[in-house]
Amino acid sequence: MPTLLLHINPGKPNAQKFPLSANSVQLGRSATNALSFPLDARLSRTHLAIERRGNLWVISDLGSKNGTFVNGARITTEQPLRPNDTILAGELLIQVEEVGSGATGRQSVVIVSEDSIEEEDPQARTIITDINQLLRRNSTKFETPGVAQKHMEALVRAGRELAGHRPLDELFSLILDLSLSAVSARRGVLMLQEQGELVPKAAKGDNFRISRAVCDQVIRQRQSLLVKDTQFEKAFLESHSIAAESVKSLIAVPLQTNSDVLGLIYLDTPHVIAPFTDDDLALLTVMANVAAIRLEQARLVLVEQAERLMQRDLDQAGEIQQGLLPTVTPEVEGLDLAGFNKACRTVGGDYYDFFTYPDGRLAAVLGDVAGKGMAAALMMSGVHARSHLLLEEPIAPGEYLTRLNRATAGRCPQNRFITMAAALVNPATGEVQYSSAGHNPAIVIRASGEVQLLKETGLVLGILKMASYQDSFVTLNDGDLLVLYSDGITEATRLDTDEEFGETRLCRVLSANAHLPAVELIDMVLRAQAYFTNNAPAPDDATLVVIRRGQAKPKPPAWTTLTDESPAPPGPS
């Protein structure tokens, strides 16, 4: 009975190995399990069990909510667990390994420099071919009917074995065993290219010393190589390792798909009386081509599984991030508020928020972390947490940005920074205190349609710890608007002309539709932007906040008076 080892999250910082020594092992969130992962929310309290059944290990799902998957298939009944199986449970990826399986390490294969190999000497002791040459042949002539039958059986067996659903690591040994059996070789090794090096994945035998000329012929030239007798090949005449291992005949063939060479299969034999034949070379070349395609399929399955896990993580991160933004716009007497945020990826680096105070005042903030994706999202979550601490009580926007910068500087990765705009609005008097840290200028739209930009700004956050930020003041009269936005709004681009939506168009749309309620005004801006860009994909996260003093006042639709230069669509749908 094999001794199994569970390799949990291989390649990750939290990877761990767990030998199956007890007769029964349970895994789940509960601390009562031998394998407990309390922070994995997708695991059930008792998720799965692995038990000894005579000479077998079996795995079963314990009625978990999200299921247990073995080799990509969800299990519903108890099933055997074998070395090289892959288990997916919750956020955990588990590889099943056999302890002491005899897998060949890197040190057992050495690539040695030898002379180049000459193609087809006069005595035909060295043969070089490739899959295309074999396919161009009218027929394959075997030496005897018995050999033909043997090779046909080898191909049929390989086809059947490789058609099954096996994990990638198990395929390596299977392919090598099929190759050894097909040509009656004594020993061999299967190697894959990883970061420019050939890495052994399965081996039978040890102390392989393979000529670099052989590797170059197979990998770079994409050719199969047969050396019938090494004592007549000058590249091997002075190789002490060949002599020590009594290698008389060898075959090396590429694991080649339609476009790439994944690695090679190398086989050798000590029997000079029965060296490898031309037909062995042809057979192994075809088998290696089929095996390479199967390996690539299995690799793509693992890639797909990893991508699904990553996408699931991103989707959950996106849900968490959306939960950090206002889910409901607060109701503030004397103000009409609305906010919008959309990440150009699953997660983003834009942030906006509202803070209300007992004296009726409102604080509004909008920030943009440089960059996109997960790194920006993580920094945004830090800004959110610090903002909720700093703005728990009313504070001048300049002081808020000064403290936020002090807490952020030194923690920003290289080439990362944050732009931020903050406003404190008093609906009773209309007074607005405003401060900016390198952010796009806020826009004030007067009820008359006049546009005013608040251009005063300071250094972006996260660069200089001792930077300070000043307040500017503006008064909103009844019906006036204050608009904060990120550059994802103004930098939306037409693909045909590479022209940006721009600040001018944004102001035009806001001014022409200033009579609309705040939420409808945001919708009009987004529709105008989509109309201008012809619905091109957004290049950046987009955030928009609209604050009106007083309530919207109905008037005739402003779009009827817009010129052709305006990007606004022809009225609300």
Side-chain angles (χ1 to χ4, degrees):
M1 179 179 182
T3 301
L4 299 185
L5 182 75
L6 302 182
H7 194 173
I8 302 170
N9 291 332
K12 293 188 176 181
N14 62 341
Q16 57 180 288
K17 293 188 177 182
F18 183 87
L20 292 176
S21 54
N23 290 329
S24 178
V25 174
Q26 287 189 346
L27 180 149
R29 285 191 296 111
S30 173
T32 60
N33 296 294
L35 287 169
S36 175
F37 300 89
L39 299 181
D40 190 339
R42 292 188 60 83
L43 286 177
S44 298
R45 289 181 58 80
T46 52
H47 195 99
L48 63 86
I50 299 174
E51 300 173 282
R52 193 191 304 266
R53 291 278 193 275
N55 291 327
L56 294 175
W57 289 98
V58 296
I59 182 172
S60 57
D61 185 88
L62 301 179
S64 67
K65 179 180 178 182
N66 294 310
T68 300
F69 298 80
V70 177
N71 300 328
R74 185 167 184 167
I75 62 173
T76 55
T77 59
E78 183 177 274
Q79 73 174 61
L81 192 63
R82 302 172 300 175
N84 301 313
D85 279 349
T86 299
I87 304 169
L88 181 62
E91 304 291 342
L92 303 177
L93 180 65
I94 305 171
Q95 295 283 353
V96 182
E97 301 176 357
E98 183 176 355
V99 178
S101 59
T104 301
R106 184 186 299 262
Q107 70 279 2
S108 64
V109 178
V110 178
I111 308 298
V112 295
S113 296
E114 308 285 1
D115 294 335
S116 61
I117 297 174
E118 297 181 1
E119 184 173 350
E120 300 201 15
D121 64 23
Q123 296 178 305
R125 296 187 179 94
T126 298
I127 308 297
I128 297 174
T129 188
D130 59 40
I131 189 66
N132 293 321
Q133 291 183 31
L134 296 176
L135 293 175
R136 285 195 296 267
R137 291 183 183 179
N138 293 328
S139 61
T140 301
K141 296 181 180 180
F142 293 98
E143 296 172 357
T144 65
V147 172
Q149 179 66 25
K150 175 188 174 184
H151 286 189
M152 183 61 69
E153 289 174 355
L155 284 174
V156 171
R157 180 191 172 200
R160 288 175 176 172
E161 293 282 0
L162 294 175
H165 296 286
R166 297 175 184 266
L168 182 61
D169 288 346
E170 186 174 329
L171 283 174
F172 299 137
S173 297
L174 173 63
I175 291 169
L176 181 61
D177 289 344
L178 290 170
S179 302
L180 291 165
S181 175
V183 297
S184 301
R186 191 190 81 168
R187 30 176 255 151
V189 60
L190 183 153
M191 296 188 287
L192 291 189
Q193 290 196 95
E194 293 182 357
Q195 298 180 346
E197 295 186 12
L198 282 169
V199 179
K201 294 297 183 180
K204 185 174 182 179
D206 207 345
N207 297 320
F208 291 93
R209 295 177 66 85
I210 304 174
S211 166
R212 188 173 301 279
V214 170
C215 297
D216 289 345
Q217 193 81 45
V218 174
I219 298 297
R220 296 184 182 178
Q221 303 300 323
R222 303 187 176 204
Q223 292 177 323
S224 299
L225 172 69
L226 163 62
V227 179
K228 292 184 178 181
D229 195 336
T230 58
Q231 65 177 316
F232 291 101
E233 173 58 69
K234 68 177 183 179
F236 302 100
L237 283 176
E238 298 180 359
S239 175
H240 299 295
S241 59
I242 292 291
E245 294 297 321
S246 301
V247 173
K248 300 298 183 182
S249 183
L250 64 87
I251 288 180
V253 296
L255 287 162
Q256 179 180 350
T257 64
N258 291 333
S259 57
D260 297 310
V261 176
L262 308 182
L264 62 83
I265 299 172
Y266 169 91
L267 310 179
D268 61 33
T269 178
H271 303 299
V272 70
I273 299 176
F276 296 125
T277 67
D278 300 17
D279 297 307
D280 290 334
L281 180 67
L283 172 64
L284 206 59
T285 299
V286 174
M287 285 182 61
N289 187 257
V290 174
I293 294 172
R294 181 66 185 90
L295 284 174
E296 184 67 3
Q297 290 173 341
R299 186 190 69 81
L300 291 175
V301 167
L302 288 180
V303 171
E304 185 179 354
Q305 287 179 348
E307 288 178 347
R308 281 203 302 264
L309 281 173
M310 181 174 293
Q311 187 58 51
R312 190 170 68 187
D313 288 345
L314 284 174
D315 290 342
Q316 290 179 344
E319 293 176 9
I320 293 171
Q321 187 180 44
Q322 284 301 309
L324 300 180
L325 302 176
T327 54
V328 178
T329 303
E331 294 185 5
V332 179
E333 186 176 355
L335 296 179
D336 177 21
L337 310 174
F340 166 83
N341 168 268
K342 185 176 182 180
C344 67
R345 300 179 184 174
T346 308
V347 293
D350 278 10
Y351 165 66
Y352 83 94
D353 220 334
F354 298 113
F355 300 85
T356 58
Y357 303 110
D359 63 2
R361 286 186 292 173
L362 169 85
V365 297
L366 192 151
D368 182 358
V369 177
K372 296 176 281 293
M374 184 61 74
L378 289 172
M379 290 183 64
M380 184 276 261
S381 66
V383 171
H384 166 273
R386 295 184 184 107
S387 295
H388 275 253
L389 287 174
L390 292 171
L391 296 173
E392 188 175 6
E393 300 291 338
I395 183 176
E399 179 65 18
Y400 155 70
L401 291 179
T402 300
R403 295 185 184 182
L404 182 61
N405 176 70
R406 194 179 303 140
T408 303
R411 294 182 174 87
C412 284
Q414 191 174 11
N415 298 325
R416 294 278 181 175
F417 55 86
I418 304 163
T419 68
M420 201 87 185
L424 183 62
V425 183
N426 188 334
T429 64
E431 182 183 74
V432 177
Q433 283 181 264
Y434 173 78
S435 189
S436 169
H439 199 73
N440 307 80
I443 301 172
V444 174
I445 305 292
R446 301 298 180 181
S448 63
E450 179 189 352
V451 177
Q452 179 182 353
L453 299 181
L454 306 183
K455 295 184 178 181
E456 297 85 352
T457 189
L459 190 67
V460 295
L461 302 179
I463 301 297
L464 182 62
K465 188 171 184 178
M466 299 310 295
S468 61
Y469 299 85
Q470 307 303 315
D471 290 320
S472 58
F473 295 85
V474 67
T475 300
L476 296 182
N477 299 315
D478 189 47
D480 290 350
L481 296 169
L482 175 67
V483 180
L484 310 179
Y485 59 96
S486 68
D487 54 15
I489 298 292
T490 53
E491 293 180 3
T493 307
R494 291 178 64 101
L495 296 181
D496 54 349
T497 63
D498 203 31
E499 184 181 5
E500 293 183 350
F501 184 67
E503 187 179 277
T504 300
R505 285 188 178 86
L506 174 60
C507 291
R508 185 186 302 142
V509 175
L510 291 169
S511 179
N513 298 278
H515 65 286
L516 294 175
V519 66
E520 294 182 22
L521 181 55
I522 286 179
D523 182 62
M524 180 60 77
V525 171
L526 298 176
R527 291 175 57 219
Q529 184 195 68
Y531 179 82
F532 171 78
T533 63
N534 197 23
N535 293 306
D540 201 355
D541 308 325
T543 307
L544 187 62
V545 167
V546 173
I547 303 172
R548 170 187 279 107
R549 187 183 179 204
Q551 299 300 317
K553 297 178 181 179
K555 72 174 185 177
W559 58 265
T560 59
T561 62
L562 295 182
T563 67
D564 290 338
E565 294 180 356
S566 174
S573 57

